[in-house]
Amino acid sequence: MSIEPLSWGRGSTPHDVGLRAHASEAPEQQWSAPARSANLEAIHTALTSENSLGAVITGSRGVGRSSLARAAVADLGPDVWSLQLRNGPAGSTTPYGCLSFLLARLPQAYMGSPTAILRGITSLIRSDAAGRPCIITLDTAGSIDDMSAGVLLNVLLTGTAKIIAVAPGISDLPADFHWLLTDHRLTEVRLSNLNELQTRQVLLSLLGHRVSASLVNTYHRMVGGNPLLLKALVTEQQLSGNLVLSDSVWTLRDKVVLDGAASLDDIVRSRWSRETPETREVIEMLSCARRVELSRLTSIYSADVVADMEDGGLLGIDDSDHRWVSLREKYIGDVVRTWLSIARRRELRSVLLGGQEPDPVGMTVEELMAFAAWTHECEAELSPAFALAAAEAAVQLFDPKFALTYADMLKRTDPQWVPAQRQKAAAYLQLDMPVQALSALDEITRPEIDALDDAEEYAHLVAAKARVMMRLPNRQARCPPSLRRQGNASPPLEGVHPGLNLVPRRSTALP
């Protein structure tokens, strides 16, 4: 069909209403583009090849589809006319839904039939482009109505414009687009979440200075490589003062805490509103528990719900014997957890445990920390044995603040109090506070040392005090020469140096 520019007579003239823009204008949010150079190259090739009609960018929400499309159009330079179309969720029920602003500009003479409308809109696009190449960016949040699809197909096949279609998947596009993809007239560019190297590139683009390796690793794990969430997290941490520029290097001052993170909260609430009540409860459970055995989770909730959540990318299940289930995107749990009251957290904990606390002996340090954190968040009490195990796990994971929190849960009358003081001293040493570490050990009285029935615990206690005294210049001379030479060596078995102020209950040598 030959379409020539029409003389519109008394028809409306184009206005800058934000629905179209010259490619020379600065595209918004190109911060993720540096990590997508290969994808940009593929789109550029699709837009400039003679036999190609354009590209289709697919990928999950927040992966950076729209910003990549804007960057691709900007990359073509100022001599390209850009027309931006957006189709909302209700677009499939509204004829010419994404073309309504063009439809409003047509003279009444071209409103008599679908064919006339098709020819009129096509000619209007050519008239606005004024001889320049035209690129249409179509951002779809739902299926396109048949009338709009027919017009767009005509625009492409007549050479009036090329297209960059943005959609979650190919199935969200009109059936005619599937044919164009099969015939290689359209090129699909599938976006996935950023890897750690790409995360570094995006952070450099956002912040403009060098970023520390620990910051890159922390942010990548938290958002799972999602660029939209990464930008929201960076903004929140800058506003909170936790992300700081020191000696031209961006670093974190403390752990990332998402309390009050408005941007991330809005993103999670948008997703939350689309989930079923059963799915929301599973999310709440995993937000608190961090991870749950698959067999236990399916005994509480329907296996169909769990399977649907896994298929939808909400859950991840590992390959271990326990088949641990966790939220695939950690930030969802961090945000949802801030919504839950103490009563709701306790209710979920009770449902999962069935009234019985797990045995810490068979748990890994990560499992111990997760369960202890959940219990602490519920303002519930840990058993003395579990509190000691959690304190020891926190020391092993170099988390001294939590180690002190759990060690302080034990009462002096608990049989685990003495080893808890040893863990407290170790935590103070990790904080470079040897005076406080020594004070924690000095709180242990001679009768409490005499009451120790475990020779191994006594040996650990001697070694702990020796390590602390070696960190204090005015106490080093009171350590045995062998310990001064060996630093963290184990204490001698036959007798203890009097300077350590630890005397065994029995005068015989330790076994």
Side-chain angles (χ1 to χ4, degrees):
M1 179 183 297
S2 175
I3 302 294
E4 298 298 333
L6 303 178
S7 175
W8 299 113
R10 292 178 296 176
S12 304
T13 57
H15 299 283
D16 293 326
V17 292
L19 294 168
R20 59 146 181 87
H22 294 287
S24 59
E25 295 177 4
E28 300 176 1
Q29 298 180 343
Q30 288 198 35
W31 40 267
S32 64
R36 304 293 195 187
S37 57
N39 303 118
L40 274 172
E41 181 63 29
I43 297 171
H44 185 272
T45 301
L47 294 176
T48 55
S49 296
E50 183 177 352
N51 295 325
S52 173
L53 299 179
V56 176
I57 305 176
T58 59
S60 58
R61 184 179 183 272
V63 80
R65 303 181 311 247
S66 298
S67 59
L68 182 66
R70 289 190 288 268
V73 174
D75 193 45
L76 294 174
D79 296 327
V80 172
W81 176 260
S82 174
L83 180 66
Q84 298 179 22
L85 308 178
R86 180 165 182 81
N87 187 61
S92 61
T93 61
T94 305
Y96 304 103
C98 64
L99 300 170
S100 57
F101 73 101
L102 290 173
L103 192 67
R105 293 175 54 198
L106 289 181
Q108 190 63 37
Y110 292 90
M111 303 297 289
S113 68
T115 303
I117 291 175
L118 180 148
R119 295 182 71 252
I121 290 179
T122 305
S123 186
L124 179 58
I125 292 173
R126 282 194 173 184
S127 179
D128 288 346
R132 292 169 291 180
C134 179
I135 303 296
I136 295 176
T137 302
L138 173 64
D139 202 338
T140 63
S143 299
I144 303 172
D145 66 277
D146 293 339
M147 296 299 187
S148 295
V151 172
L152 290 174
L153 187 63
N154 182 75
V155 168
L156 297 179
L157 294 179
T158 57
T160 303
K162 293 188 177 183
I163 194 168
I164 302 178
V166 176
I170 294 175
S171 59
D172 297 287
L173 297 171
D176 289 329
F177 280 52
H178 300 177
W179 167 70
L180 294 176
L181 284 164
T182 304
D183 203 36
H184 303 293
R185 304 295 304 278
L186 288 176
T187 301
E188 182 184 8
V189 177
R190 188 187 302 274
L191 295 188
S192 56
N193 284 346
L194 305 174
N195 57 35
E196 194 161 337
L197 177 59
Q198 291 172 320
T199 299
R200 176 185 291 276
Q201 292 173 319
V202 171
L203 287 173
L204 287 171
S205 175
L206 279 170
L207 299 172
H209 287 277
R210 181 184 172 190
V211 290
S212 65
S214 60
L215 184 148
V216 174
N217 180 263
T218 298
Y219 278 14
H220 181 70
R221 285 188 294 103
M222 288 198 67
V223 304
N226 186 304
L228 178 64
L229 299 172
L230 180 62
K231 185 176 187 297
L233 185 61
V234 168
T235 302
E236 294 293 345
Q237 292 300 294
Q238 282 183 303
L239 291 174
S240 68
N242 193 33
L243 180 60
V244 295
L245 184 63
S246 177
D247 296 329
S248 298
V249 179
W250 287 99
T251 58
L252 291 171
R253 298 177 60 184
D254 205 344
K255 286 187 174 181
V256 177
V257 179
L258 299 181
D259 291 345
S263 298
L264 286 174
D265 192 279
D266 291 342
I267 293 171
V268 175
R269 286 189 186 277
S270 175
R271 186 166 185 174
W272 179 266
S273 64
R274 299 191 298 269
E275 304 297 347
T276 65
E278 294 82 2
T279 298
R280 294 178 186 178
E281 187 162 337
V282 175
I283 293 174
E284 288 180 343
M285 175 69 77
L286 292 173
S287 297
C288 293
R290 274 68 170 186
R291 61 178 190 169
V292 178
E293 285 184 285
L294 178 60
S295 58
R296 180 58 183 158
L297 192 65
T298 53
S299 69
I300 301 173
Y301 304 104
S302 168
D304 290 340
V305 172
V306 176
D308 289 343
M309 293 178 69
E310 184 184 13
D311 292 341
L314 275 171
L315 302 184
I317 304 176
D318 69 15
D319 296 327
S320 67
D321 294 338
H322 293 280
R323 304 286 289 167
W324 292 105
V325 183
S326 58
L327 291 171
R328 189 178 295 276
E329 295 171 318
K330 181 178 177 294
Y331 76 93
I332 293 179
D334 293 336
V335 172
V336 170
R337 199 160 48 246
T338 65
W339 302 346
L340 304 178
S341 65
I342 298 300
R344 179 56 175 163
R345 295 180 186 185
R346 288 181 176 177
E347 179 186 352
L348 292 167
R349 184 176 184 271
S350 177
V351 169
L352 181 62
L353 298 181
Q356 184 176 1
E357 187 177 87
D359 184 1
V361 174
M363 301 175 70
T364 65
V365 290
E366 291 81 7
E367 293 164 10
L368 284 167
M369 289 293 288
F371 182 82
W374 187 8
T375 304
H376 183 61
E377 290 163 2
C378 294
E379 298 183 5
E381 289 188 5
L382 284 172
S383 67
F386 212 109
L388 173 61
E392 186 174 1
V395 169
Q396 291 182 40
L397 294 176
F398 296 94
D399 198 337
K401 292 183 180 179
F402 272 111
L404 293 172
T405 297
Y406 299 135
D408 282 336
M409 292 181 181
L410 286 105
K411 300 175 183 177
R412 196 160 197 140
T413 54
D414 294 326
Q416 296 86 358
W417 184 79
V418 171
Q421 290 298 104
R422 180 165 54 82
Q423 298 302 329
K424 186 184 293 187
Y428 277 127
L429 283 185
Q430 290 182 353
L431 292 170
D432 197 23
M433 301 170 68
V435 174
Q436 289 82 350
L438 183 62
S439 176
L441 294 175
D442 285 344
E443 288 183 31
I444 305 173
T445 63
R446 186 168 299 235
E448 287 169 331
I449 296 173
D450 291 341
L452 290 174
D453 293 325
D454 187 353
E456 184 176 354
E457 174 56 36
Y458 173 74
H460 284 311
L461 195 58
V462 173
K465 191 154 191 177
R467 280 193 292 270
V468 172
M469 293 174 66
M470 289 297 295
R471 298 279 291 274
L472 296 167
N474 61 337
R475 293 295 189 101
Q476 289 182 5
R478 300 179 63 182
C479 291
S482 59
L483 291 183
R484 290 202 298 270
R485 289 194 303 269
Q486 300 176 19
N488 290 337
S490 299
L493 295 181
E494 295 189 3
V496 178
H497 194 279
L500 294 176
N501 196 29
L502 289 175
V503 181
R505 190 165 62 90
R506 296 178 293 276
S507 60
T508 56
L510 293 173

